[in-house]
Amino acid sequence: KYMQSILLAGTILGADTVVAYDNKVLGKPKDAKEAKKMLSMLAGHIHEVYTGVTMIIKEEDQTEQQISFYEATKVEVTSMSEEEIEEYIATGEPMDKAGAYAIQGMFAPYIRKIEGDYYNIVGFPISHIYHTAKEAGIVEDGDLVVITAGVPLGISGMTNMMKVERI
């Protein structure tokens, strides 16, 4: 509602990522005990990572279009000892990550392989977003697309944004 009131024209993009294993959805762990449970579950197995994305496109004439999709990627985690799991948790890295790990961080050595979009696992399926935006006319040939990390507009929890610059 707040975003609707300040956005006269433009695009809002929202995305959230979850990990799924054995018919369970794993979000961010609430504490170290839950992180250990999640990582113990994933170690030595294949799981899926899903990122749901919604774009709201508001034109200057105030018409609005909404596009939603998801990206899925399979991830195989190596077997891990209890000590390896505990050492990883002690880094603090898993505490704000879906499934209690960051593929791009200190957990990378425990990833055996992936099938699908690496950036989906990071939480922002760039290629799918770019091509969807291109189909919607938000991005055109010759546009420079910059993906940046930050907290735009001070919105808590937003860690990535897509900026389109005409060149």
Side-chain angles (χ1 to χ4, degrees), residues 19-20 35-37 58 64 83 85 89 115 143 152 156-157:
V19 170
K36 184 175 181 179
K37 183 178 177 182
K58 194 168 187 180
E64 202 172 275
E83 182 180 355
I85 291 171
I89 292 168
E115 289 180 35
D143 287 348
S156 175

Side-chain angles (χ1 to χ4, degrees), residues 1-13 56-59 62 64 153:
K1 183 102 173 152
Y2 173 73
M3 290 300 290
Q4 287 178 328
S5 66
I6 64 167
L7 184 69
L8 300 176
T11 301
I12 297 173
L13 187 145
I56 300 172
I57 305 154
K58 194 168 187 180
E59 303 295 340
Q62 299 302 295
E64 202 172 275
L153 300 175

Side-chain angles (χ1 to χ4, degrees), residues 48-51 70-74 115-117 120-121 125 128:
E48 293 82 32
V49 176
Y50 296 94
T51 300
Y70 73 92
E71 185 73 31
T73 305
K74 289 186 179 187
E115 289 180 35
D117 184 351
N120 181 53
I121 305 164
H128 197 154

Side-chain angles (χ1 to χ4, degrees), residues 114-126:
I114 69 167
E115 289 180 35
D117 184 351
Y118 168 83
Y119 291 102
N120 181 53
I121 305 164
V122 176
F124 205 71
I126 297 167

Side-chain angles (χ1 to χ4, degrees), residues 22-35:
D22 196 27
N23 293 317
K24 293 177 184 72
V25 174
L26 309 177
K28 297 174 183 176
K30 63 179 180 248
D31 55 31
K33 183 179 177 182
E34 189 173 41

Side-chain angles (χ1 to χ4, degrees), residues 45-47 49 73-77 101 111 113-114 121:
H45 297 100
I46 297 171
H47 64 275
V49 176
T73 305
K74 289 186 179 187
V75 180
E76 184 175 353
V77 178
Y101 73 89
I111 302 299
K113 71 177 181 176
I114 69 167
I121 305 164

